[in-house]
Amino acid sequence: MGSIVRGGGTTVVGVTNTYGMPVVAIVGDGQLARMMQTEAIELGIGTRLLAGSNEASAAQVIADARLGDYTSLNDLQEATAGTDAVTFDHEHVPNEHLQVLIDADVNPEPRPAALIYAQDKLEQRIRLRDLGAPVPEFAGIASADDAKAFWDFVDGAVCLKATRGGYDGKGVWFPDTLDECLELVEELLGRGVPLMGERKVPFERELSAMVARRRSGEVAAWQVAESIQDGGVCRVTIAPAPGISPELAKRAEDLACRIATELDVTGVLAVELFEAGGEILVNELAMRPHNTGHWTQNGCVTSQFEQHLRAVLDWPLGSTTPTAPVTVMVNTLGGDADPEMPMGQRVAAVMEKYPQAKIHLYGKQWRPGRKMGHVNVVADTVEVARAVAEDAANYIINATWLDEE
């Protein structure tokens, strides 16, 4: 493993922070790490990145980027040596490696005892149930007989999940018949995919309760947002969730704060929730900045990325007070075709039409459905904010305005 060689053949050596400020190592090279870097610059925090390639989103903007494999203990040790904290833009680093780092006085946050509940969905469900948190009925699926028993138990309302590795709608299946369910289970288990079954919830909408917690125990919550999915991928977030009652919002915030504390999470925690009949059920946990929290960049005093860095360094947390009545985030997901108009021209056109729109791009090449960036808009009403954000995002994706289609 070594430093990335940038264009022109110049090797970028490791950056040393000479101003008495800490250095945070970030494992994972995607857009979440990229947006942590933006806040680290403002705070004077040094960063070091363990990246898979020098074209990766975060590697484009972090000078001290080391090429390596996050599943390699040696690469992790080299990338994190001498740093003040280590954090992640995904949950897939092997926990046994993180324990080795801890034993060597390196400080990964969140720690493996917490991270396991974001890595393994079955372990997560068991722990949340033991805490008394509201979760759908579930069971581990290790055989076709297990699948048949669970199908009968929930009257066929089955959602199958890979217990590890799934994200953005991947690793989730909804079989329509028992035969389809059993065939799917046999196939997946045969491929070595660990499975669980969960009751399919007839929810009304999805909510996101996001909090941050520092090592010494302080917890801060953002207002509860609504998340609108497209093919299992978050496409729109509205903060606050439209029409949510103060009682339900408080219940969701309190639940997220309790989960963060009981699981000893450090950093940002996203608790994805189903709302059904005035009740909430936990859908997923993410222990890192999260797509449903991107609105905080422009709609809140302290963004999730700044807050995450504060938390993993055990610094005082910032205010989560909203800066506007409503913020809407719309992802720019790659369309079916890449427009001939260069991205720079599309961005300039959006700026011309909507100077209030805040555009965040990730430095990624086009691919259908790929998260290439997002647009945030603040306004007095959901209708105004969403109309602008949707039109702006559509132009960045397709080079056309919605009223032209």
Side-chain angles (χ1 to χ4, degrees):
M1 185 182 75
S3 298
I4 287 178
V5 179
R6 306 287 185 182
T10 301
T11 300
V12 179
V13 298
V15 174
T16 301
N17 200 326
T18 59
Y19 300 101
M21 293 293 283
V23 176
V24 175
I26 306 171
V27 179
D29 56 18
Q31 65 265 21
L32 301 180
R34 181 187 180 104
M35 288 183 278
M36 286 185 219
Q37 170 68 355
T38 303
E39 300 289 6
I41 291 169
E42 295 298 316
L43 293 170
I45 295 169
T47 53
R48 183 185 300 160
L49 181 72
L50 178 58
S53 75
N54 58 4
E55 293 84 19
S57 178
Q60 298 170 21
V61 299
I62 297 179
D64 188 1
R66 317 291 181 89
L67 286 179
D69 181 351
Y70 64 82
T71 66
S72 162
L73 176 58
N74 183 66
D75 288 356
L76 285 167
Q77 289 172 319
E78 287 190 23
T80 62
T83 60
D84 296 273
V86 180
T87 195
F88 317 96
D89 91 336
H90 60 71
E91 294 98 344
H92 307 309
V93 178
N95 266 355
E96 59 270 23
H97 293 354
L98 298 181
Q99 189 58 54
V100 173
L101 297 183
I102 291 172
D103 294 342
D105 294 325
V106 178
N107 183 36
E109 300 285 8
R111 295 181 183 174
L115 202 58
I116 183 64
Y117 300 115
Q119 295 170 331
D120 190 304
K121 292 180 175 62
L122 183 57
E123 293 288 344
Q124 175 199 121
R125 283 293 187 255
I126 293 169
R127 184 75 170 97
L128 291 176
R129 180 190 62 193
D130 291 347
L131 290 177
V135 295
E137 293 157 313
F138 67 92
I141 304 294
S143 67
D145 287 343
D146 289 344
K148 171 66 165 58
F150 188 70
W151 179 278
D152 292 341
F153 178 67
V154 297
D155 297 322
V158 172
C159 169
L160 286 176
K161 290 185 175 182
T163 62
R164 285 179 172 262
Y167 68 97
D168 281 350
K170 301 176 178 67
V172 180
W173 301 269
F174 296 96
D176 292 321
T177 66
L178 176 58
D179 286 345
E180 181 185 347
C181 179
L182 297 180
E183 183 178 336
L184 190 56
V185 166
E186 293 279 13
E187 176 196 344
L188 293 168
L189 291 177
R191 285 168 26 203
V193 178
L195 291 175
M196 62 175 283
E198 188 170 271
R199 180 184 287 275
K200 184 164 59 175
V201 176
F203 60 90
E204 294 151 14
R205 63 175 173 175
E206 295 187 58
L207 302 175
S208 175
M210 297 196 58
V211 300
R213 179 178 177 271
R214 56 189 285 210
R215 171 57 47 201
S216 55
E218 181 188 7
V219 182
W222 288 275
Q223 59 186 354
V224 177
E226 179 178 355
S227 171
I228 299 171
Q229 310 289 310
D230 184 0
V233 179
C234 173
R235 195 182 69 81
V236 178
T237 302
I238 305 171
I244 191 169
S245 70
E247 296 77 18
L248 187 61
K250 180 69 162 54
R251 203 184 320 158
E253 288 180 16
D254 288 349
L255 175 63
C257 289
R258 184 162 70 89
I259 291 172
T261 299
E262 294 283 355
L263 270 52
D264 197 27
V265 176
T266 304
V268 168
L269 169 70
V271 181
E272 297 180 75
L273 301 163
F274 294 133
E275 180 183 354
E279 300 297 327
I280 50 175
L281 292 169
V282 177
N283 178 24
E284 300 285 357
L285 301 181
M287 296 181 191
R288 50 172 170 75
H290 192 255
N291 200 161
T292 59
H294 291 349
W295 70 271
T296 63
Q297 290 172 298
N298 304 107
C300 201
V301 171
T302 307
S303 79
Q304 64 167 343
F305 300 102
E306 177 182 343
Q307 198 82 298
H308 187 74
L309 291 169
R310 289 187 185 213
V312 302
L313 289 168
D314 202 18
W315 284 3
L317 300 180
S319 168
T320 56
T321 302
T323 57
V326 173
T327 306
V328 172
M329 185 281 308
V330 177
N331 274 328
T332 54
L333 304 173
D336 294 336
D338 191 20
E340 292 184 6
M341 181 186 293
M343 178 63 79
Q345 290 184 26
R346 285 177 260 163
V347 168
V350 170
M351 290 177 170
E352 179 70 27
K353 185 172 183 178
Y354 297 119
Q356 71 272 43
K358 303 298 289 185
I359 301 166
H360 302 265
L361 296 179
Y362 307 153
K364 294 184 176 183
Q365 295 296 314
W366 169 83
R367 190 172 68 223
R370 190 181 200 185
K371 290 181 184 176
M372 300 174 66
H374 64 273
V375 176
N376 286 336
V377 175
V378 301
D380 290 332
T381 67
V382 172
E383 292 75 18
V384 170
R386 187 168 181 182
V388 171
E390 292 272 20
D391 202 25
N394 189 74
Y395 198 86
I396 289 172
I397 296 166
N398 298 313
T400 57
W401 306 112
L402 288 173
D403 62 7
E404 296 174 347
E405 295 182 352

